[in-house]
Structures are given as C-alpha cells and as structure tokens.
Amino acid sequence: MNNKNRKWWGYFFIGPQLIGMIVFSVIPLIFAFALSMMEWDGFGDQRFIGLENYFHLANDSSFIKALLNTAYYSILVIPGGLILALVIALALNKVKGKDFYRLFYFMPVVTSSVSVGVIWMWLLNGDIGLINQLLDMIGIEGPKWLTDRKLVLPSIAGLSIWWGLGTNMVIFLAGLQSIPRSYYEAADIDGASKIQKFRHITFPLLSPTTFFVAIMLVISSFQVFDQSYVMTQGGPGKASYTLVLHIYEMAFRRSAFGPSAAAAVVLFLIILIFTLIQFSVSKRWVHYEDGGR
C-alpha cells in the first residue's frame, strides 16, 4: 500500500470521530459564543446586543453566588479527590486480590448520577438518614447535612469525591504499575526508606499521571450539576447553587438564552484559564522523560 492510499485510509478511520467532534462540539461552541451576544427567548428573532449579557452577569447576584459556590466546591473536591485516590492506589498497588478491590472501588463510577444522588439523599437525610442513625448509636447528634447552609456543599463534595474515586484510583494504579521495578531495587540497595522512595522515585515518575488526574478534576468540578440539581435544587437559599445549574435555570426555566450562553462562555474561559495555568506550572514538576523510561 502506497503512502497516498494510507493517507486516505487514515481519513476514513478518523472521519466519524472528526465529524462527531465538529457537529457536537465545535459548532455548538461557536453557536454559544454567538448566542451570548444575542437577546433571545428561544422563539422568534434574535437581536444582537453585543456584550450586554456579560455586563448583566457582572451585576447578577445569582451568577456571582453560583461562581463562589463552584469555586468553594472545587477547592474541596480537587485536592480531596486527588490525595485520596493516590493514597488508595498506593495501598492497593502491592496488596493481594487487588483486582477485587479495584472492582469494589470502581463500582460507583458506573452508577448513574441520578441514582447516586437519590441514594445519598437518603443517607444524608437529617431525620432518618443512615449516617445520622449510626452517629446516634454512638451518642452523637447528626447535623442536617443537606439543609444546613454551611454543610450542604461539603456534603455534596464528599459525595463527588466518593463517586469519582474509582476512576482516579485506577488511573493512579496504572501509573504506579508502569514504574520500572529496577528503580526501587537500586533504592533498596542504597538503603532508602519508604518515604525517600516515594519522594524521589514514585512521585516524580507518577507526576504525568497526577497532572492528568488534576486536569480532569478541575474540569469535572467546575461542571458540577447533577448532584446539586438532584439532591438540593441549589438550596437551601442557593447555598449549593452552581454555575452549570445557573446556566440551566437561565436557559430552560427563564428562557433567557443570551445570559445563559454568556454564563456558559465564562465557565468555558475559567476552565481554559485554569487548564493553561496547570500546563504552565506543570513544566516545573512533571517529568515526562523520566516517566517514559
């Protein structure tokens, strides 16, 4: 097969994926940017109003509240999910029957978000929830997890960490198993402790995996919607009102598609900026060359 035929076969195989990306990602993204500068209620004509929707967001208390809530939620989920997944992966890396434990931790990932939300609504119920009943058995009065303004976001963040733990743990396990054993054998000969081996071997060689998991956590945490929508509807008093929930409310309950699209563009830019910052900072601590040896 000559090079020309190989090129066309390559186009043939990537064609469906490329078409899907253009139709379902690129075109909607362009349309969202255009719609963010329009006034439109979903029906009738669209009216160009420039950056007015963005100025409206700056003075919209609901949007600012959603932005702050999402930032707080992300601060809870990103380091919590990253550290817990790494610790469990390290614990399972050498244990017998790790395939069983890997399956056990991964099971919540394949469960639908609505099902998970409903189950955790019962677990966190302040009156009849299983968690508070267990606390009551040891003489502790359980709080109102989902109706207390101070506890609702940490409660949802805890659910999200548990729900995504399996995916992040499996990724870390794959990274750990790709580290050559010869490095640890050399460290054992030199008399290195477990902490020294983790600091000088495991973490540097695991840095590309850590970087990937951190990127995915940033993206998913800023896009949180299902948990707050199913469990609290953004309450109490918008204490769990997030950016994606705000976008949904503006578009499908108020028919304000222009401000909704503007909020979506802002969310896109926030995720893009944080991702670019991570890529920039990663040059100092991510060791791709060492990890590929």
Side-chain angles (χ1 to χ4, degrees):
M1 183 183 296
N2 57 41
N3 291 334
K4 185 176 181 180
N5 288 335
R6 287 182 179 179
K7 181 180 69 174
W8 287 112
W9 274 110
Y11 290 147
F12 173 77
F13 284 114
I14 69 171
Q17 181 68 24
L18 185 61
I19 293 172
M21 184 185 70
I22 293 173
V23 172
F24 296 107
S25 297
V26 177
I27 293 178
L29 182 62
I30 295 173
F31 181 71
F33 273 99
L35 188 58
S36 69
M37 295 187 233
M38 303 286 181
E39 182 181 3
W40 188 46
D41 62 358
F43 304 94
D45 297 330
Q46 300 175 3
R47 186 171 68 90
F48 180 78
I49 57 174
L51 299 177
E52 186 175 327
N53 286 324
Y54 293 96
F55 295 138
H56 171 75
L57 289 180
N59 299 310
D60 186 351
S61 59
S62 295
F63 172 78
I64 295 173
K65 180 67 174 176
L67 181 62
L68 294 175
N69 285 342
T70 304
Y72 177 43
Y73 170 88
S74 300
I75 291 172
L76 295 174
V77 170
I78 295 170
L82 191 71
I83 294 172
L84 187 59
L86 177 57
V87 169
I88 292 177
L90 289 169
L92 296 182
N93 190 35
K94 297 180 180 180
V95 72
K96 292 182 179 180
K98 60 184 174 184
D99 290 339
F100 168 77
Y101 290 108
R102 183 162 46 189
L103 175 64
F104 176 78
Y105 280 106
F106 196 78
M107 285 176 63
V109 177
V110 299
T111 308
S112 72
S113 58
V114 174
S115 300
V116 170
V118 171
I119 292 171
W120 277 81
M121 281 178 63
W122 172 69
L123 291 174
L124 295 173
N125 186 285
D127 298 319
I128 61 172
L130 178 61
I131 293 177
N132 277 4
Q133 290 185 26
L134 293 174
L135 291 175
D136 185 62
M137 290 174 61
I138 58 176
I140 299 176
E141 183 180 356
K144 305 292 185 180
W145 300 100
L146 299 179
T147 56
D148 188 319
R149 294 184 180 220
K150 295 181 179 179
L151 292 178
V152 62
L153 266 182
S155 300
I156 295 175
L159 155 63
S160 299
I161 292 172
W162 169 83
W163 190 28
L165 182 62
T167 300
N168 299 328
M169 179 268 298
V170 167
I171 294 172
F172 273 123
L173 266 178
L176 288 170
Q177 293 171 10
S178 68
I179 299 176
R181 292 294 309 163
S182 58
Y183 292 160
Y184 295 106
E185 293 170 357
D188 289 334
I189 294 173
D190 292 338
S193 65
K194 291 183 178 180
I195 296 177
Q196 289 174 325
K197 284 188 285 188
F198 175 79
R199 179 182 176 185
H200 297 290
I201 299 174
T202 304
F203 186 73
L205 298 185
L206 201 62
S207 58
T209 305
T210 306
F211 174 60
F212 174 77
V213 173
I215 289 287
M216 299 307 295
L217 281 171
V218 167
I219 294 173
S220 62
S221 62
F222 275 98
Q223 293 180 334
V224 58
F225 170 75
D226 298 9
Q227 299 91 314
S228 58
Y229 179 77
V230 172
M231 298 175 68
T232 63
Q233 292 285 309
K238 292 191 175 182
S240 60
Y241 191 67
T242 62
L243 272 176
V244 178
L245 186 55
H246 176 77
I247 293 169
Y248 169 82
E249 291 275 347
M250 295 296 292
F252 299 106
R253 292 193 175 179
R254 303 185 191 179
S255 296
F257 286 92
S260 175
V265 170
V266 171
L267 175 60
F268 167 77
L269 293 175
I270 290 174
I271 294 175
L272 177 63
I273 290 171
F274 273 95
T275 303
L276 292 176
I277 291 173
Q278 285 181 287
F279 270 99
S280 177
V281 173
S282 70
K283 296 177 182 178
R284 303 177 184 177
W285 63 276
V286 177
H287 304 275
Y288 293 104
E289 293 180 0
D290 291 343
R293 292 179 183 175

